[in-house]
Amino acid sequence: MFSFLEKNPFFFTVAFLLVFSIAGLVEILPGFAKKAQPIEGLKPYSLLETAGRQVYIAEGCYNCHSQLIRPFKAETDRYGAYSLSGEYAYDRPFLWGSKRTGPDLHRVGDSRNAADWHDGHMREPKSRVPGSIMPAYEHLYTKNADFETAFAEAYTQKVVFGVPYDVEGGVQIGAEGYQKGNAESLAKAKEIFMQEAKAVVDDMISQDVKDAFEKGEVKQIVALIAYMNSLGQSRRAATQVSQAGQ
């Protein structure tokens, strides 16, 4: 049999690839399945953070900012603990990015967890980072965040993917009594959404956003800031995990 394979390069290649693939799957899949589990301390995105993530995607922020810190000293010194697969357990889709015109944002919520900083930066980037080439995002201060779409996404994550929403001590989205097509069943979710927004608005410096909130409006900038502040929530856990593996 082996002499046959040695004399036939095509069949030898096929046999090699088959054996190599099986060995690779046996080696990789068990570890991958384990590491893909949420790391301890990781929470799914709240309703407001989900709405902000939708803004982040729509604006194409991932085109200039990565969310993946590689295990190189130059990167960990600048951005913090390197990224672990378990930190992305609730990310659908992943927003790793492919380039860094601006800095990596995976830990930005740890280093600049302040609504007023992000508020000033998004409205006038150079006011916070002199020499910044990032454009201003004034339109985010006039458009309302999409609560309904954010709830629909979070509810889908809960029902289809088993994301642990509405559990004791966890992230609440008010979906326990939700009935499709029943607007009244969204009342609790909307209340949670507004409470989250208030916490962000109170720390912002833009008076127009505060005035809009008093009228019951949540601007996209509020949701985006909430999402930005959530990035890096698992840094401490990731650091502990990485140190334990050393």
Side-chain angles (χ1 to χ4, degrees):
M1 176 180 177
F2 294 108
S3 60
F4 169 78
L5 292 176
E6 291 175 356
K7 297 177 182 179
N8 295 272
F10 174 77
F11 292 106
F12 179 84
T13 302
V14 171
F16 170 80
L17 292 176
L18 180 62
V19 173
F20 183 83
S21 298
I22 294 174
L25 290 174
V26 170
E27 179 68 26
I28 295 172
L29 287 181
F32 179 81
K34 180 179 179 180
K35 292 180 180 179
Q37 296 299 314
I39 65 173
E40 184 177 355
L42 184 69
K43 295 182 179 181
Y45 297 110
S46 70
L47 288 175
L48 187 63
E49 291 164 2
T50 298
R53 194 169 190 267
Q54 292 169 347
V55 174
Y56 186 95
I57 293 173
E59 295 296 330
C61 301
Y62 54 86
N63 289 318
C64 293
H65 296 279
S66 62
Q67 287 188 30
L68 179 64
I69 303 171
R70 296 172 295 179
F72 304 141
K73 188 175 186 302
E75 297 199 10
T76 56
D77 285 349
R78 182 177 183 184
Y79 301 121
Y82 62 83
S83 303
L84 302 174
S85 59
E87 293 184 81
Y88 302 99
Y90 302 128
D91 283 30
R92 297 180 179 89
F94 298 120
L95 299 177
W96 292 329
S98 59
K99 63 180 297 188
R100 289 179 184 153
T101 301
D104 185 276
L105 299 181
H106 197 197
R107 310 291 183 203
V108 70
D110 291 313
S111 58
R112 292 170 178 161
N113 192 10
D116 59 345
W117 192 94
H118 288 302
D119 187 2
H121 183 240
M122 296 302 294
R123 187 155 233 164
E124 180 48 59
K126 291 183 180 179
S127 68
R128 294 294 186 270
V129 182
S132 173
I133 62 172
M134 190 179 90
Y137 286 83
E138 188 70 32
H139 59 281
L140 299 182
Y141 292 78
T142 60
K143 296 181 179 180
N144 290 336
D146 191 343
F147 159 72
E148 288 79 8
T149 302
F151 176 82
E153 180 172 332
Y155 183 73
T156 300
Q157 299 273 3
K158 175 182 179 179
V159 174
V160 177
F161 298 105
V163 174
Y165 283 120
D166 295 324
V167 297
E168 185 177 355
V171 176
Q172 303 297 310
I173 63 171
E176 303 97 323
Y178 171 69
Q179 296 178 0
K180 187 176 181 180
N182 186 345
E184 294 181 359
S185 63
L186 287 174
K188 185 176 181 181
K190 187 61 178 289
E191 181 181 352
I192 294 173
F193 182 80
M194 296 302 291
Q195 289 175 348
E196 295 174 24
K198 185 179 187 304
V200 176
V201 171
D202 286 346
D203 291 336
M204 292 180 65
I205 58 178
S206 293
Q207 190 59 45
D208 55 340
V209 175
K210 295 177 181 289
D211 293 340
F213 183 75
E214 291 298 322
K215 300 176 183 178
E217 300 177 357
V218 177
K219 299 303 178 183
Q220 287 184 343
I221 185 62
V222 178
L224 181 60
I225 289 175
Y227 172 65
M228 296 288 285
N229 282 344
S230 76
L231 296 177
Q233 62 167 310
S234 55
R235 180 183 184 185
R236 182 176 301 175
T239 301
Q240 293 173 346
V241 172
S242 63
Q243 289 177 345
Q246 293 177 353

